[in-house]
Amino acid sequence: MPSAEHVILRELLAQETTWVSGSTLAAKLGISRVAVWQHMEKLRAAGFTFEAQRSRGYRVAARPDTLYAPLIETLLKVRPRPFSLLVLDEVDSTNDEAARQLSAGRPAPFAVLARRQTRGRGRFGRTWHSDSRTSLYASFAFRPRVEPERMQTFTLWMGLNVCELLSNFAGVTPGIKWPNDILFEGRKAGGMLTEARIDADQIRDLVFGLGLNVNHPAGGWPADLVRGAVALADVTGVALDLNRLAAALIGRVLLAYQSFVDGEHLKSFAELWHRYDLLRGKPVTLLEGGRRHHGVVSGLDDEGALLLRDELGKVQRFRAGEVTLEKSA
Ligand code: BTN
């Protein structure tokens, strides 16, 4: 059942430049005009501003700059069934919350978004800086029931889709640093963390987590991130509509998941990888299990492992590791 706020927003956003009368909204919802006014107050408290005229009704003047579930629901273009969206003000980690909800039996797919995380996590147990309220902390939960080997390139595929979305949505040119970083000109704007629970050789629960620095204030980074992190708004020069981006991201991630599970992704993976890969042909150092490996990246294999050619011409494959571009690159 859509909430009253969702219905009101649907009406107002469908007619963004024209007025919608209180009585039209009241009739749509089957409630009184006073009750409509009370819901409008709730929307105001969430960050909307409206122009209101007694003779004409309401018109949206400004939208919230933090995540707001009824607005995201209104803006969603594709919506598979079942799909549910959870937008939390604060949570330890959206990945952890998604895993808890999966364990509790919540029907998948669903998405957990939060305005702030108190224990946002990255790879290798690192902290993901998560208190901007104007960035995206999102986790998507699935129950694929396929063998783990089938999911080897999943994070890379999702990263390609995030890059495509950002380039279409914001007109920017991101790149992927294998295996899970989304960069702009050498600085990190996003990171992905995929976690799975495996049962009897099948993936039972799968959580794809994405942190995206969207409108993070340029002066607000902790000291260790000042040089390495960037927000999308720094790249575009204007603030992005966070709720519109969240809705577009949800649509894209759900479609990307489906095409991966159906094997359809194979048709475009190589072309997209070629477009967004930042490492091919570059000299790098790869840190894996405490060992450093130097070489030039020659590509990916079918399982998503990184191929490194050393100075003797020998190619080694790496399933995991932390890559640093060498200075001359
Ligand atoms: C990395 O770059 O190491 C991955 C970072 C992933 C961060 C996201 S934010 C949403 C989700 N919840 C988490 O705790 N982590 C992921």
Side-chain angles (χ1 to χ4, degrees):
M1 252 288 272
S3 66
E5 284 73 32
H6 179 180
V7 174
I8 292 173
L9 288 175
R10 205 166 56 200
E11 293 301 308
L12 289 171
L13 296 178
Q15 323 275 333
E16 208 149 356
T17 52
T18 51
W19 299 84
V20 179
S21 72
S23 47
T24 304
L25 294 173
K28 280 265 173 222
L29 285 161
I31 58 176
S32 69
R33 288 185 61 175
V34 173
V36 168
W37 182 84
Q38 284 164 345
H39 288 297
M40 302 297 285
E41 285 302 294
K42 272 201 202 167
L43 289 167
R44 283 193 181 94
F48 283 91
T49 50
F50 301 105
E51 290 176 74
Q53 281 190 11
R54 193 176 285 274
S55 56
R56 300 162 100 180
Y58 299 98
R59 186 158 85 168
V60 176
R63 302 177 183 199
D65 55 10
T66 58
L67 295 173
Y68 184 55
L71 179 55
I72 300 172
E73 299 264 8
T74 306
L75 295 168
L76 272 182
K77 292 211 170 74
V78 276
R79 198 191 172 92
R81 292 207 178 264
F83 168 76
S84 58
L85 170 66
L86 211 60
V87 177
L88 306 170
D89 188 49
E90 182 176 296
V91 72
D92 49 358
S93 150
T94 53
N95 266 32
D96 291 345
E97 181 60 26
R100 286 190 291 264
Q101 298 273 342
L102 279 168
S103 297
R106 187 182 185 107
F110 60 86
V112 180
L113 273 57
R115 298 188 190 102
R116 183 169 179 271
Q117 297 182 117
T118 52
R119 296 181 65 186
R121 297 183 287 109
R123 287 206 310 154
F124 309 118
R126 289 184 188 138
T127 298
W128 184 258
H129 173 70
S130 307
D131 67 356
S132 110
R133 290 188 185 273
T134 52
S135 285
L136 269 181
Y137 315 114
S139 297
F140 298 85
F142 306 99
R143 290 198 180 88
R145 308 266 177 202
V146 299
E147 313 73 62
E149 299 72 50
R150 286 242 356 243
M151 302 306 281
Q152 278 160 338
T153 55
F154 179 72
T155 308
L156 302 177
W157 171 244
M158 297 313 262
L160 292 174
N161 277 273
V162 172
C163 285
E164 274 280 277
L165 172 80
L166 294 179
S167 101
N168 296 336
F169 185 91
V172 290
T173 314
I176 296 188
K177 180 162 87 67
W178 181 94
N180 73 326
D181 292 352
I182 295 173
L183 305 191
F184 289 94
E185 287 164 15
R187 293 165 79 191
K188 185 157 167 172
M192 299 173 284
L193 184 66
T194 302
E195 296 176 308
R197 197 170 124 193
I198 297 163
D199 242 10
D201 286 343
Q202 288 214 319
I203 297 196
R204 187 190 153 99
D205 295 347
L206 180 75
V207 175
F208 168 68
L210 173 71
L212 209 49
N213 306 324
V214 181
N215 295 320
H216 191 288
W221 296 108
D224 58 327
L225 295 180
V226 169
R227 284 158 58 92
V230 71
L232 281 169
D234 301 329
V235 182
T236 57
V238 287
L240 284 104
D241 184 330
L242 190 65
N243 287 289
R244 217 159 65 76
L245 178 59
L249 175 75
I250 292 169
R252 183 89 199 194
V253 165
L254 294 176
L255 286 175
Y257 170 79
Q258 201 50 54
S259 67
F260 190 90
V261 169
D262 296 343
E264 286 290 304
H265 68 298
L266 292 171
K267 291 182 187 157
S268 50
F269 189 102
E271 186 202 324
L272 288 175
W273 187 255
H274 187 67
R275 191 177 309 161
Y276 292 111
D277 168 31
L278 292 173
L279 297 183
R280 196 184 175 93
K282 303 269 171 63
V284 300
T285 301
L286 185 142
L287 184 63
E288 184 225 24
R291 288 191 61 197
R292 281 175 196 285
H293 305 266
H294 299 280
V296 172
V297 175
S298 60
L300 280 187
D301 73 6
D302 289 349
E303 293 169 3
L306 193 75
L307 301 175
L308 268 196
R309 186 183 301 278
D310 69 16
E311 51 193 17
L312 301 172
K314 185 173 158 231
V315 176
Q316 271 190 287
R317 66 190 293 274
F318 296 90
R319 299 275 299 273
E322 168 99 26
V323 173
T324 318
L325 280 159
E326 287 181 1
K327 285 276 180 289
S328 58

